[in-house]
């Protein structure tokens, strides 16, 4: 008899305990729960407003703690140059990112926002970061393992600024160098681009062998989420016009532009960005067959699909002509996160109304939000929403600069070396009485880095910390060798001085995106006249700093040695390492070098193939001791 009240009290206590625990315990907040359960639990708690907020990515320029909180914004970005002042410290970046994050963490469900940045050749918008060669140069190395290490270094430098998400790599297969983004492509050959997807395990970490195909992956808080872009056919547009139309059979699309996506998905890439371009006249941002049908259903990609910057607006021409239509077409095609990036209220109101009026089914919204939440849980964002300063030491570290220098050395392609193999000019003697260094790109970090460096378009001059090629030459020659730098020397000056030899560094100015589209591919003035003026009276090496092959045939006979250095980044020492023979030349062309632009497009394997230097060309030299 005395036991009954005890049992009763016991049950009562248990009930109370469960009630209290229920108030506090939420499956989605428990890191021990499987991700699928956490996603399901959280999605079940969300209102339409909260779901649509998750799908919205805004630029830093319009963000504030208040905005993050009020609109439940799921993601934000710092687009080329939209950040703290150009020379801001990593601590300033972290404070900025954490500030916005506090807005997100103060919402009802405390879903952290995901911050992304265009870390396309290192954490390239940030002052003092290590700037690695642009992808075309990495293609010349033919060294996927090196590219993987660059991915790992980039991840550390991105985390150094409190950011967990990089809009990289670009796995475009550029088929026409007139395209302004051609340097973002590793090669015209899909096999090389496929191999270079090793940057993904560099950025995100190695996916375990037993992982399910297509499931996003991140190895920990020293890694960053990657983006394979731009899906699909971005490098195949007519005449290389940026964002234009890729005319190709389905067979050619799958053969040339698609294969690197298979590799990226197998390697666990978390996100895929859609291309502005069209395929046979259909905007990729509206291509349901290729996004939902092929990418999500056939390839079983389980990460999220993100639009490009104002990608929905550009579905119509002119852009933003009918935003309602754009939202239906883009979200309907299967895009999960929308890089809006400014007028978020227009997007949020538009999408909300379309869902409420059944133009877009709730199942589409749930698919998008599930994918976004899956990625956020995968990368540990709920457990680690705020960055601390412990990783700032990685930004521009000596170790990373050494790695970039190695990449520069391996990216250089020697196209000509003296009149014949038994009269080589390279390796250049370190000991000489007087060497002339000339050219617009010899002492210019900004030119050497190219576009996507600090600013979106890049910028000539002292934009960040690094070693110019001139400084590298000075560091390398014998102490008694006199180096004379004259950017654009007068022909008489060259003639009247007795230079042992000359090193000319010329090329393209920095550019990115459509601003880089170019139909003549000539080296801008005064590059050509510097070559002709100097090479007329002294033995000369020409080092080209360009994002692509350029018109060089008219000057080739005058040039004694020719090096394609692409866009090497901050570590110019790598150029001198190889010119003076401390290391040999090993790079080979990742692209076909045309004779004249009217041959374009011309790619390896074409029936009519008459290049100046074929794809894969490159003279190999041995290192020399005691030079
Ligand atoms: C491609 O470029 C041409 C010339 O600028 C333009 O008229 C056309 O609309 C573009 N096509 C697409 C799909 O962007
Ligand atoms: C915009 O697109 C919507 C959806 O396709 C359509 O109903 C509407 O008529 C269009 N508006 C204009 C002004 O063309
Ligand atoms: C955002 O879009 C709305 C709806 O089209 C428009 O009324 C508003 O002026 C836009 N705001 C900005 C800042 O462009
Ligand atoms: C960059 O800075 C260096 C050292 O401060 C200076 O020698 C050089 O002239 C500067 N270059 C440019 C292009 O401003
Ligand atoms: C080549 O094209 C670029 C980009 O359109 C242009 O700025 C430049 O003036 C052109 N150069 C020549 C020599 O036509």
């Amino acid at each position: 008899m005395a036991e009954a009240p005890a049992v009763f009290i016991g049950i009562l206590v248990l009930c109370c305990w469960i009630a209290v625990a229920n108030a506090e315990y939420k499956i989605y907040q428990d890191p021990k729960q499987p991700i699928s359960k956490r996603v399901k639990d959280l999605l079940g708690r969300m209102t339409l407003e909260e779901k649509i907020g998750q799908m919205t990515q805004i630029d830093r320029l319009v963000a504030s703690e208040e905005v993050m909180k009020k609109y439940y914004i799921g993601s934000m970005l710092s687009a080329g140059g939209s950040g703290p002042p150009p020379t801001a410290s990593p601590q300033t970046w972290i404070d900025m990112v954490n500030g916005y994050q506090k807005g997100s963490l103060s919402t009802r469900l405390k879903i952290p926002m995901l911050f992304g940045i265009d870390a396309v050749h290192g954490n390239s918008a940030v002052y003092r970061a290590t700037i690695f060669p642009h992808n075309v140069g990495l293609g010349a190395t033919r060294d996927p393992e090196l590219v993987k290490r660059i991915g790992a270094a980039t991840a550390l430098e991105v985390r150094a600024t409190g950011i967990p998400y990089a809009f990289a790599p670009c796995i475009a297969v550029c088929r026409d160098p007139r395209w302004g983004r051609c340097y973002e492509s590793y090669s015209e050959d899909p096999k090389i681009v496929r191999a270079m997807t090793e940057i993904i395990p560099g950025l995100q970490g190695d996916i375990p062998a037993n992982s399910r195909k297509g499931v996003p992956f991140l190895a920990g808080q020293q890694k960053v989420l990657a983006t394979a872009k731009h899906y699909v056919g971005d490098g195949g547009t007519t005449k290389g016009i940026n964002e234009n139309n890729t005319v190709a059979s389905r067979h050619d699309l799958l053969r040339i532009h698609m294969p690197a996506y298979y590799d990226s998905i197998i390697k666990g890439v978390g996100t895929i960005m859609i291309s502005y371009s069209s395929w046979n006249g259909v905007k990729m941002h509206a291509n349901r067959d290729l996004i939902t049908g092929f990418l999500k259903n056939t390839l079983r990609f389980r990460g999220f699909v993100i639009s490009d910057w104002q990608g929905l607006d550009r579905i119509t021409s002119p852009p933003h002509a009918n935003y309602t239509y754009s939202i239906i077409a883009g979200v309907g095609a299967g895009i999960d996160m929308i890089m809006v990036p400014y007028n978020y209220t227009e997007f949020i109101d538009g999408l909300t109304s379309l869902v409420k009026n059944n133009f877009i089914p709730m199942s589409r919204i749930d698919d998008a939000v599930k994918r976004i939440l899956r990625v956020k849980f995968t990368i540990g964002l709920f457990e680690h929403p705020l960055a601390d300063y412990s990783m700032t030491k990685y930004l521009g570290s000596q170790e990373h600069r050494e790695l970039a220098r190695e990449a520069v050395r391996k990216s250089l392609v020697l196209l000509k070396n003296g009149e014949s193999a038994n009269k080589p000019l390279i390796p250049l003697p370190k000991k000489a009485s007087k060497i002339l260094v000339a050219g617009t790109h010899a002492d210019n970090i900004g030119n050497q880095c190219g576009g996507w460096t600090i600013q979106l378009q890049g910028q000539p001059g002292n934009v960040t910390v690094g070693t110019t090629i001139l400084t590298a030459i000075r560091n390398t020659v014998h102490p008694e060798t006199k180096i004379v730098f004259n950017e654009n020397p007068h022909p008489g000056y060259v003639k009247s001085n007795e230079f042992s030899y000359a090193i000319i560094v010329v090329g393209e100015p920095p550019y990115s995106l459509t601003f880089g589209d170019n139909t003549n591919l000539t080296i801008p003035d005064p590059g050509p006249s510097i070559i002709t003026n100097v090479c007329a009276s002294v033995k000369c090496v020409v080092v080209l700093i360009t994002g692509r092959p350029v018109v060089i045939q008219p000057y080739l006979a005058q040039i004694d040695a020719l090096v394609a250095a692409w866009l090497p980044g901050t570590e110019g020492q790598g150029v001198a390492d190889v010119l003076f023979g401390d290391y040999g030349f090993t790079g080979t062309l990742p692209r076909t070098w045309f004779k004249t632009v009217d041959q374009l497009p011309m790619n390896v394997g074409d029936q009519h193939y008459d290049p100046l230097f074929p794809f894969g060309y490159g003279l190999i030299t041995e290192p020399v001791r005691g030079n």
Side-chain angles (χ1 to χ4, degrees):
M1 292 303 262
E3 275 167 35
V7 169
F8 179 74
I9 288 166
I11 288 168
L12 200 68
V13 167
L14 189 65
C15 289
C16 289
W17 182 80
I18 287 169
V20 169
N22 263 349
E24 287 174 352
Y25 179 82
K26 297 190 181 81
I27 290 174
Y28 81 90
Q29 288 176 333
D30 180 358
K32 290 192 205 74
Q33 292 287 346
I35 286 173
S36 55
K37 276 197 168 176
R38 297 179 77 184
V39 169
K40 194 171 172 216
D41 177 63
L42 179 49
L43 189 71
R45 297 170 188 272
M46 291 170 78
T47 63
L48 178 61
E49 211 182 347
E50 286 163 336
K51 288 176 183 176
I52 288 177
Q54 281 305 304
M55 296 172 67
T56 309
Q57 185 181 63
I58 66 174
D59 189 77
R60 186 210 60 88
L61 212 62
V62 294
S64 68
E65 237 177 277
E66 251 335 280
V67 167
M68 300 310 287
K69 185 176 173 193
K70 184 168 174 201
Y71 296 95
Y72 309 101
I73 299 296
S75 182
M76 55 185 292
L77 83 159
S78 188
S82 165
T87 58
S89 68
Q91 286 82 356
T92 308
W93 280 84
I94 290 173
D95 293 344
M96 176 190 81
V97 175
N98 284 350
Y100 298 122
Q101 188 65 289
K102 282 174 189 149
S104 296
L105 295 179
S106 64
T107 54
R108 184 177 75 95
L109 295 167
K110 303 180 175 54
I111 305 175
M113 64 84 181
L114 177 63
F115 197 105
I117 195 162
D118 286 291
V120 300
H121 58 148
N123 193 2
S124 46
V126 177
Y127 187 70
R128 211 181 279 281
T130 310
I131 305 294
F132 294 92
H134 268 299
N135 288 351
V136 65
L138 299 182
T141 70
R142 301 294 201 277
D143 190 343
E145 184 272 337
L146 168 74
V147 170
K148 183 178 180 184
R149 283 187 283 140
I150 290 174
T154 301
L156 292 173
E157 296 211 14
V158 171
R159 284 287 190 177
T161 53
I163 298 174
Y165 179 23
F167 303 124
C170 175
I171 56 170
V173 180
C174 170
R175 302 290 281 179
D176 193 322
R178 290 174 289 188
W179 187 32
R181 305 191 75 162
C182 200
Y183 64 75
E184 297 184 57
S185 165
Y186 295 105
S187 177
E188 72 193 31
D189 179 358
K191 285 197 290 297
I192 293 176
V193 179
R194 294 188 74 165
M196 295 309 178
T197 58
E198 273 303 280
I199 196 165
I200 293 168
L203 290 162
Q204 298 191 125
D206 279 307
I207 191 163
N210 60 355
S211 292
R212 269 181 52 218
K213 188 190 154 199
V215 176
F217 176 75
L218 196 85
Q221 297 306 302
Q222 305 232 315
K223 296 291 180 183
V224 296
L225 187 64
T227 310
K229 67 185 189 183
H230 310 80
Y231 185 82
V232 57
D234 50 350
T237 58
T238 305
K239 296 179 187 165
I241 298 171
N242 192 35
E243 306 181 14
N244 209 258
N245 191 20
T246 294
V247 179
S249 65
R250 193 175 182 96
H251 176 76
D252 279 350
L253 188 81
L254 295 185
R255 180 178 67 86
I256 297 169
H257 301 284
M258 193 66 86
Y261 287 93
Y262 307 152
D263 300 273
S264 302
I265 290 168
I266 286 167
K267 291 171 187 182
V269 74
T271 77
I272 292 178
M273 188 184 289
I274 300 302
S275 179
Y276 288 126
S277 58
S278 303
W279 175 47
N280 295 338
V282 178
K283 292 277 182 186
M284 276 307 305
H285 275 77
N287 195 322
R288 191 164 198 282
D289 169 43
L290 284 178
I291 300 173
T292 298
F294 198 73
L295 188 58
K296 290 184 174 178
N297 294 343
T298 305
L299 299 184
R300 304 197 64 74
F301 172 62
R302 290 287 170 270
F304 69 74
V305 173
I306 184 168
S307 83
D308 207 331
W309 172 273
Q310 296 180 330
L312 291 200
D313 306 66
R314 297 188 202 182
I315 288 174
T316 57
S317 123
H320 202 269
N322 184 341
Y323 200 55
T324 304
Y325 169 76
S326 285
I327 297 173
I328 294 176
V331 175
I335 301 175
D336 304 308
M337 184 175 280
I338 317 302
M339 193 182 287
V340 175
Y342 297 135
N343 200 339
Y344 50 86
T345 53
E346 183 186 33
F347 170 71
I348 289 170
D349 293 348
L351 182 53
T352 305
S353 146
L354 286 168
V355 175
K356 286 191 171 157
N357 292 297
N358 296 319
F359 287 99
I360 293 177
M362 190 58 109
S363 58
R364 177 69 269 279
I365 302 300
D366 285 348
D367 171 56
V369 177
K370 251 187 229 170
R371 288 165 178 273
I372 292 163
L373 295 178
R374 183 184 295 136
V375 166
K376 289 187 174 183
F377 284 121
T378 299
I379 71 170
L381 198 59
F382 284 76
E383 286 69 58
H384 308 276
L386 296 167
D388 60 35
Y389 297 153
S390 63
M391 290 183 68
T392 56
K393 62 177 185 243
Y394 291 114
L395 193 89
S397 73
Q398 195 51 41
E399 199 184 335
H400 294 171
R401 291 186 187 278
E402 288 301 325
L403 175 62
R405 180 175 167 182
E406 176 189 349
V408 172
R409 288 196 293 261
K410 292 178 171 171
S411 70
L412 305 177
V413 182
L414 182 59
L415 296 171
K416 180 176 179 182
N417 191 12
E419 285 160 49
S420 63
N422 42 19
K423 277 192 184 166
L425 186 57
I426 284 170
L428 299 168
K430 290 183 181 175
K431 194 165 180 184
S433 58
K434 198 162 63 169
I435 303 171
L436 173 65
V437 178
T440 43
H441 290 55
D443 191 27
N444 197 308
I445 283 288
N447 280 353
Q448 188 177 305
C449 290
W452 294 111
T453 308
I454 310 297
Q455 303 295 330
L456 171 59
Q457 290 298 326
Q459 204 184 317
N462 282 339
V463 294
T464 191
V465 178
T467 305
T468 68
I469 294 169
L470 174 66
T471 302
I473 292 169
R474 288 203 165 113
N475 291 343
T476 309
V477 295
H478 190 275
E480 284 160 29
T481 302
K482 190 168 176 220
I483 299 291
V484 178
F485 175 58
N486 187 330
E487 191 171 308
N488 187 1
H490 190 269
Y493 169 85
V494 184
K495 214 168 201 171
S496 62
N497 271 275
E498 294 203 345
F499 293 112
S500 313
Y501 56 85
I503 301 170
I504 302 164
V505 192
V506 291
E508 295 184 306
Y511 57 79
S512 72
L513 312 178
T514 305
F515 294 102
D517 281 3
N518 188 314
T519 53
N520 59 67
L521 295 181
T522 54
I523 302 167
D525 287 333
S529 60
I530 298 173
I531 295 176
T532 47
N533 290 345
V534 175
C535 296
S537 30
V538 60
K539 281 246 180 282
C540 70
V541 179
V542 173
V543 178
L544 292 176
I545 305 291
T546 64
R548 49 195 161 189
V550 290
V551 174
I552 200 70
Q553 193 184 28
Y555 321 106
L556 194 56
Q558 269 187 294
I559 295 170
D560 298 289
L562 179 64
V563 175
W566 316 110
L567 299 169
T570 49
E571 303 316 304
Q573 190 63 49
V575 176
D577 287 345
V578 181
L579 284 181
F580 292 96
D582 290 332
Y583 291 81
F585 276 91
T586 55
T588 54
L589 287 181
R591 307 203 59 78
T592 297
W593 204 295
F594 58 87
K595 290 176 177 163
T596 58
V597 285
D598 54 23
Q599 292 179 303
L600 298 174
M602 177 172 58
N603 291 288
V604 60
D606 285 1
Q607 222 165 8
H608 301 287
Y609 194 66
D610 179 28
L612 183 62
F613 302 108
F615 170 87
Y617 184 77
L619 300 168
I620 307 300
T621 64
E622 293 298 322
V624 288
R625 311 239 169 269
N627 179 8

